[in-house]
Amino acid sequence: MQTKTQTSARVANMILPACNFLSKGWEVSILGLLAFVQQKYSLPLYMVGILSTVFIVCQISVSFFAGKIAHAIHSRNVVLLAIFASGLAWLTLFLSHDTLILYLSYTLGGISSGLFEPIGNSLVAKSSSAKNRGTAIGNFAAFGDMGRIAVGAAATTLAGWLGVNLACGIMLFTNIAALILSQIYLPKPNDADDPKTGGERVHLHDLLRNSKFVHATIAGIADSFSSASLYIFIPFLLIPKGITLANTGYFNVVFFAGYMSGRLVLGRMADKHGPSIILIVSKAIMAALIVALILISGYIPIMILVFVLGIFTRGTSPIIRAMVADSMDERVSFHDAFGAYSFASRGSTAVCRPIYGYLASFAGIASVFYVAAAVSLLTLYPAAKYDGRNPLGLSRRTGKHKHT
């Protein structure tokens, strides 16, 4: 029979993945509800773009400083602050009767996401050993994908049934529950130092001198540019193939299921064979699958291809995050490294969207996917350069890398 201490420890180990499940779900939900918000307030369509831009600008900006904030107030408090900020976002949406309040809601939502992701990944990376870090980060990310699917679907369904305000009220309730459970079960610091991520701080100039970190970050920038926004444009590629707009949503759900499967599988493969070679092979396969998606037709073949493409599109993100962690000395804190990496990769995602939109408008939707395939192949160079002793990255990781 389990003791009370064993049960508490088990719950503590699950609380961070559960927070990621909710954090990603809240992020997708608050953006997914923009259509309902636009309809309720009779907003012009350009306001949807403005509010989503407010969200991502705040998200990117805060992620850059997340490491500094964690060192100032402790990582546990950053997680609690992220949940609290999300709760305020839902509260203001729930009570809102003024369009000006919407800016505050989406600012708070962006702050919440920008705080949680880098610190959550840093905590998972630091608490796992080098030999299974890809698996641990992949599992953590998979919880986020499940949250995207489950919470996002629940929020939009509730908004359709009950209206956007009541849907936001229910999301607020999940925030309150998460905040209470996190307050109870997240490990408390024993002293001024962070027990999970204690160690020397790393400054930006140190990171820029660390060639492994730089190559991992460049790989993350190319990976995000080529893959993080494809789900937005897949419906526009499928409609000319005879798939109705109403049915394109199912393909995105399948695509996200591929995300989750890829994070679970590719992280384990990276632990076994080394991250560089798995990343190289995955990005080459992704480029080939994108070209195939442009060319093929047929409901079932496209459905299968979209799932497999999802595996190699975002299943690689845990690999790159493991590379970021492995580039750091185990004695230092990972917070600043993950904050800088998150800022760079998310910035790449934000930049690619208007570029892809412009390409779709003036060069055709297929051009978006050809460019994504080409940028995917650009990931191969920093992935190969990551391991200086072996350009192909075939050697097993030791978990201890020197800064160069």
Side-chain angles (χ1 to χ4, degrees), residues 63-296:
S63 67
F64 184 77
F65 298 101
K68 293 179 175 61
I69 296 169
H71 285 290
I73 67 172
H74 189 273
S75 58
R76 177 181 185 273
N77 292 329
V78 172
V79 174
L80 295 175
L81 182 60
I83 297 171
F84 183 70
S86 183
L88 289 179
W90 289 117
L91 177 64
T92 52
L93 276 178
F94 174 56
L95 299 175
S96 174
H97 295 287
D98 189 334
T99 55
L100 289 176
I101 300 298
L102 298 176
Y103 289 98
L104 176 60
S105 300
Y106 282 86
T107 296
L108 289 165
I111 289 171
S112 172
S113 179
L115 283 172
F116 182 81
E117 182 176 277
I119 301 307
N121 279 288
S122 175
L123 288 170
V124 171
K126 190 68 174 180
S127 64
S128 58
S129 64
K131 65 181 180 181
N132 68 353
R133 186 166 282 148
T135 299
I137 297 176
N139 290 343
F140 181 71
F143 272 91
D145 289 329
M146 288 187 279
R148 282 188 176 100
I149 296 169
V151 180
T156 52
T157 301
L158 288 169
W161 287 350
L162 306 174
V164 66
N165 283 79
L166 284 178
C168 292
I170 293 171
M171 290 296 106
L172 173 61
F173 177 79
T174 65
N175 264 108
I176 294 170
L179 188 62
I180 292 170
L181 291 174
S182 298
Q183 177 68 34
I184 295 170
Y185 290 109
L186 276 177
K188 295 178 175 63
N190 295 321
D191 49 41
D193 292 326
D194 187 332
K196 284 271 187 183
T197 58
E200 301 174 17
R201 286 200 57 185
V202 180
H203 299 285
L204 182 59
H205 59 83
D206 297 315
L207 294 173
L208 294 176
R209 289 201 297 263
N210 181 343
S211 65
K212 285 184 177 293
F213 174 81
V214 170
H215 287 129
T217 301
I218 293 172
I221 290 170
D223 179 57
S224 294
F225 191 99
S226 63
S227 63
S229 299
L230 280 187
Y231 72 93
I232 297 173
F233 297 93
I234 282 178
F236 300 102
L237 183 70
L238 300 184
I239 290 169
K241 296 177 183 289
I243 296 170
T244 63
L245 178 60
N247 287 333
T248 57
Y250 298 117
F251 287 85
N252 267 341
V253 171
V254 170
F255 192 54
F256 288 141
Y259 274 28
M260 183 176 65
S261 302
R263 296 186 205 268
L264 292 171
V265 173
L266 296 183
R268 286 168 169 76
M269 292 180 67
D271 286 335
K272 184 175 181 180
H273 301 291
S276 298
I277 188 61
I278 298 301
L279 182 59
I280 289 169
V281 171
S282 296
K283 291 290 108 178
I285 293 174
M286 174 185 161
L289 290 172
I290 288 175
V291 174
L293 183 62
I294 296 169
L295 299 176
I296 72 164

